[in-house]
Amino acid sequence: TQLLKQSPQFLSIQEGENLTVYCNSSSVFSSLQWYRQEPGEGPVLLVTVVTGGEVKKLKRLTFQFGDARKDSSLHITAAQPGDTGLYLCAGVDTGFQKLVFGTGTRLLVSP
Amino acid sequence: GAGVSQSPSNKVTEKGKDVELRCDPISGHTALYWYRQSLGQGLEFLIYFQGNSAPDKSGLPSDRFSAERTGGSVSTLTIQRTQQEDSAVYLCASSSNRASSGNTIYFGEGSWLTVV
């Protein structure tokens, strides 16, 4: 069974702080995605990283895919209360064409 | 509709009863996925459809769980003889093609199932 472990599991910070969320696996994925989920809603795709070592920026969010395509990180600069939510990484399983989701990181940004 | 539609949004059922959860994917999307999410946790894969066929049923937790898809569109997830551990949010998602093709997967808002 493929597993994607995220850390930390829960993060509570003040507005303006920086943070990094990690997503680690022993398996190689063809690509990796990051989602954000708010209460009562389904996950919404933030970004897809495909190439080992790739770095993508989305405003204050920076996503990195490890060289070996087994791990990834999400860095948020100057967090805002609107960033609050559950962040999920997901690896694309080339064998079965499905997403394997991480354990999730719940972020709370206080004003 | 414009997005993935799921019904019911909330369902409370008694232990031992059967439940059906419905998913109406985005029109034209050939791939359909069912996931289960326990409170505040990550998503657990249940089953994947490509058209009407299910090449991957590996995530169904027991033989009480089954799913079908007809006409390449609507899918129904059925849970027989529900147990309290079945309580979770059941999320459906669809995409225009398989995940590895780089197509975006769109999720519905989920069906919250509570077994009492």
Side-chain angles (χ1 to χ4, degrees), chain A residues 5 7-8 11 32 45 53 55-56 69 90 92-93 95 104-105 109-110:
Chain A
K5 185 168 183 180
S7 61
L11 193 56
L32 197 138
L45 179 66
V55 177
K56 277 192 175 178
R69 305 206 325 271
V92 178
D93 182 329
T105 295
V109 182
S110 302

Side-chain angles (χ1 to χ4, degrees), chain B residues 25-94:
Chain B
I26 293 173
S27 178
H29 279 190
T30 58
L32 186 146
Y33 309 80
W34 283 99
Y35 285 85
R36 178 168 71 173
Q37 184 176 31
S38 299
L39 187 62
Q41 301 296 310
L43 277 67
E44 174 190 5
F45 171 78
L46 297 179
I47 189 169
Y48 153 65
F49 287 93
Q50 184 64 29
N52 288 337
S53 64
D56 189 352
K57 304 179 182 179
S58 63
L60 294 177
S62 75
D63 58 8
R64 296 186 295 106
F65 288 72
S66 63
E68 64 175 13
R69 188 181 186 194
T70 56
S73 181
V74 172
S75 176
T76 302
L77 176 68
T78 301
I79 309 173
Q80 295 179 308
R81 305 181 303 282
T82 53
Q83 303 293 313
Q84 287 184 330
E85 60 263 29
D86 299 335
S87 296
V89 178
Y90 289 82
L91 288 158
C92 177
S94 71

Side-chain angles (χ1 to χ4, degrees), chain A residues 9 30-31 33 35 37 40-45 48 86 88 92-94 96-104 106, chain B residues 33 35 37 39-45 48 55-56 58 91 98-110:
Chain A
Q9 192 172 2
S30 63
S31 61
Q33 300 182 329
Y35 289 79
Q37 184 179 22
E41 299 181 6
V44 176
L45 179 66
T48 301
L86 179 66
L88 296 157
V92 178
D93 182 329
T94 55
F96 297 101
Q97 314 296 319
K98 67 179 186 280
L99 290 177
V100 177
F101 277 86
T103 48
R106 185 163 298 279
Chain B
Y33 309 80
Y35 285 85
Q37 184 176 31
L39 187 62
Q41 301 296 310
L43 277 67
E44 174 190 5
F45 171 78
Y48 153 65
D56 189 352
S58 63
L91 288 158
R98 293 175 296 186
S100 66
S101 301
N103 295 288
T104 299
I105 292 178
Y106 297 89
F107 282 85
E109 294 186 344

Side-chain angles (χ1 to χ4, degrees), chain A:
Chain A
T1 302
Q2 295 171 305
L3 290 173
L4 278 166
K5 185 168 183 180
Q6 290 183 234
S7 61
Q9 192 172 2
F10 181 75
L11 193 56
S12 179
I13 61 173
Q14 296 294 312
E15 182 176 3
E17 292 185 30
N18 302 332
L19 67 115
T20 302
V21 177
Y22 298 93
C23 173
N24 295 290
S25 173
S26 58
S27 301
V28 176
F29 294 99
S30 63
S31 61
L32 197 138
Q33 300 182 329
W34 283 92
Y35 289 79
R36 180 165 162 262
Q37 184 179 22
E38 297 194 41
E41 299 181 6
V44 176
L45 179 66
L46 295 174
V47 76
T48 301
V49 284
V50 179
T51 306
E54 181 177 3
V55 177
K56 277 192 175 178
K57 292 193 175 183
L58 186 67
K59 297 183 179 178
R60 295 176 293 101
L61 278 61
T62 302
F63 304 86
Q64 186 164 8
F65 200 14
D67 291 341
R69 305 206 325 271
K70 292 182 179 180
D71 52 76
S72 181
S73 64
L74 157 61
H75 182 78
I76 301 179
T77 303
Q80 299 177 0
D83 295 328
T84 293
L86 179 66
Y87 288 82
L88 296 157
C89 64
V92 178
D93 182 329
T94 55
F96 297 101
Q97 314 296 319
K98 67 179 186 280
L99 290 177
V100 177
F101 277 86
T103 48
T105 295
R106 185 163 298 279
L107 172 65
L108 174 62
V109 182
S110 302

